[in-house]
Every structure is written in structure tokens, then in C-alpha cells.
Amino acid sequence: MALLFARSFRLCRWGAKRLGVASTEAQRGVSFKLEEKTAHSSLALFRGDTGVKYGLVGLEPTKVALNVERFREWAVVLADTAVTSGRHYWEVTVKRSQQFRIGVADVDMSRDSCIGVDDRSWVFTYAQRKWYTMLANEKAPIEGIGQPEKVGLLLEYEAQKLSLVDVSQVSVVHTLQTDFRGPVVPAFALWDGELLTHSGLEVPPGL
């Protein structure tokens, strides 16, 4: 009986990993890479698919593999691992970007939309040297944070919260109340520069 239970447990963990769903048993938060098949043709992935950079011209659409998962109108890319429960923390290094969005989105959000435009994504956006929250194309300003080289995101699925974290102070700058109804994935959009993700991190003490 004990052997059967152990085998079933291993199979369950393998199944969760294969399906790209974050395990809540792990001590660390969700570990992910960026999903190339979702990336708009103006975006290129690098450093083992943990970073994304914007190209003014981008890839020739005819040279990009046809995929229903790919964003067609906006420079968006999603992560490859969905979250369905737990508290998760990851960080984003910003390089030479003055306009980008970071947050989470429903796994099946429309590929003709952009994160922050519809009501199935929750994001923090940086534009015109200021931070904003963005939901359903409505923006609200965020005070108390400038243009750091690195920021953190804290996702609390059961509490229905997504927070922007000041990494240098290890403190929450702003929290979005969300409305998760199913699996969500880390989501990114940018119109210049580069973003580099750091996942599989423990939630910092005090957050």
C-alpha cells in the first residue's frame, strides 16, 4: 500500500509539471520561462527564454510559425506555467525600456487583445516615466516608486491579489484586487528595450 501511494504521488507531481501548472507543494514560487509560441512577431526571447526584447521592425510575420496561441496585434508574451493556487513571487529586471507592462492574465485571453486592455488581465504599466495600474483599459497612477532597475510581483491567488514590490526596500508599493476565475500566467508587454524575468524565488520575509 505504501509503495502504491508513493508511486501515485510521483505520478501526480509529474502530471502537474508536464501540464505546466505550478505546484503549491514547493517551497519556492512558480518557476517559468516565456512561451515563444505566444510571443508577438516584434518580440524576441533570449537567455534561455527568460528574457524578452522588442524589435522596432521585429521578425517578418511570414517567417514566424503560424500558431493560434501567438499574439497578433500587440507586443505581448505569456509565461509557460499557469498558477491555480498559492502565493508566488518573481522579479523583473528592466533594461533600456521606457514603456512596458507586467502582471498576470487568464491563460485563454484573446490573442487579438493586449494585457491591461481587457478585464481578464491585471497589470502594472510604466509609461511616460510614471507607474500605473491597468485593468479593462482604465489606468490609475501609482505613487512612491520611480524607474527602478528591478521590480517584484507578488501573486496571492486565494486572496485575489497582485502586488507591485519595491525590491530595494522589500516592500509592497501597490496592490491590485483581482478577479481570478481560473488559471493565470505571468504576462508581459513592451514597446522598447528588454525585460529579464527571475522566477522560482521564495516570497521575501515580511511580504
Side-chain angles (χ1 to χ4, degrees):
M1 179 64 73
L3 182 61
L4 179 61
F5 175 80
R7 183 172 181 272
S8 298
F9 178 74
R10 288 196 298 271
L11 284 172
C12 286
R13 291 193 64 186
W14 175 85
K17 183 177 180 181
R18 184 173 181 270
L19 291 172
V21 177
S23 172
T24 57
E25 297 168 9
Q27 294 273 326
R28 295 178 179 274
V30 58
S31 181
F32 63 82
K33 290 186 177 182
L34 303 178
E35 189 79 83
E36 192 280 332
K37 67 181 181 181
T38 69
H40 184 265
S41 61
S42 65
L43 302 178
L45 306 187
F46 66 98
R47 197 169 294 186
D49 293 346
T50 61
V52 57
K53 55 186 175 182
Y54 178 81
L56 185 61
V57 176
L59 299 174
E60 191 66 40
T62 57
K63 296 182 180 180
V64 177
L66 292 176
N67 195 312
V68 295
E69 295 295 316
R70 192 176 303 283
F71 281 86
R72 294 176 283 272
E73 302 294 332
W74 299 83
V76 176
V77 62
L78 303 180
D80 64 356
T81 304
V83 172
T84 58
S85 63
R87 300 177 80 235
H88 303 273
Y89 176 78
W90 61 93
E91 295 179 346
V92 181
T93 297
V94 182
K95 295 184 177 181
R96 301 182 299 279
S97 182
Q98 298 294 320
Q99 188 175 4
F100 59 89
R101 298 175 188 175
I102 54 177
V104 298
D106 280 0
V107 294
D108 58 353
M109 74 167 287
S110 170
R111 293 331 194 231
D112 292 317
S113 186
C114 184
I115 57 173
V117 172
D118 63 9
D119 63 353
R120 304 317 308 157
S121 57
W122 301 265
V123 305
F124 298 101
T125 178
Y126 185 83
Q128 299 175 330
R129 300 183 180 181
K130 294 181 181 180
W131 283 94
Y132 303 87
T133 62
M134 196 167 184
L135 173 63
N137 219 23
E138 295 288 332
K139 293 198 302 185
I142 300 174
E143 304 295 338
I145 185 171
Q147 186 185 13
E149 294 182 357
K150 183 185 289 186
V151 294
L153 287 178
L154 174 64
L155 171 62
E156 301 173 274
Y157 191 92
E158 285 81 6
Q160 300 271 298
K161 293 179 180 179
L162 180 69
S163 299
L164 180 66
V165 177
D166 184 335
V167 173
S168 63
Q169 302 293 326
V170 194
S171 62
V172 170
V173 177
H174 191 88
T175 298
L176 267 173
Q177 195 65 44
T178 65
D179 180 27
F180 301 144
R181 302 174 191 171
V184 296
V185 289
F188 309 85
L190 73 160
W191 290 270
D192 62 359
E194 304 174 0
L195 300 178
L196 181 62
T197 66
H198 314 275
S199 64
L201 306 176
E202 293 182 1
V203 177
L207 291 184

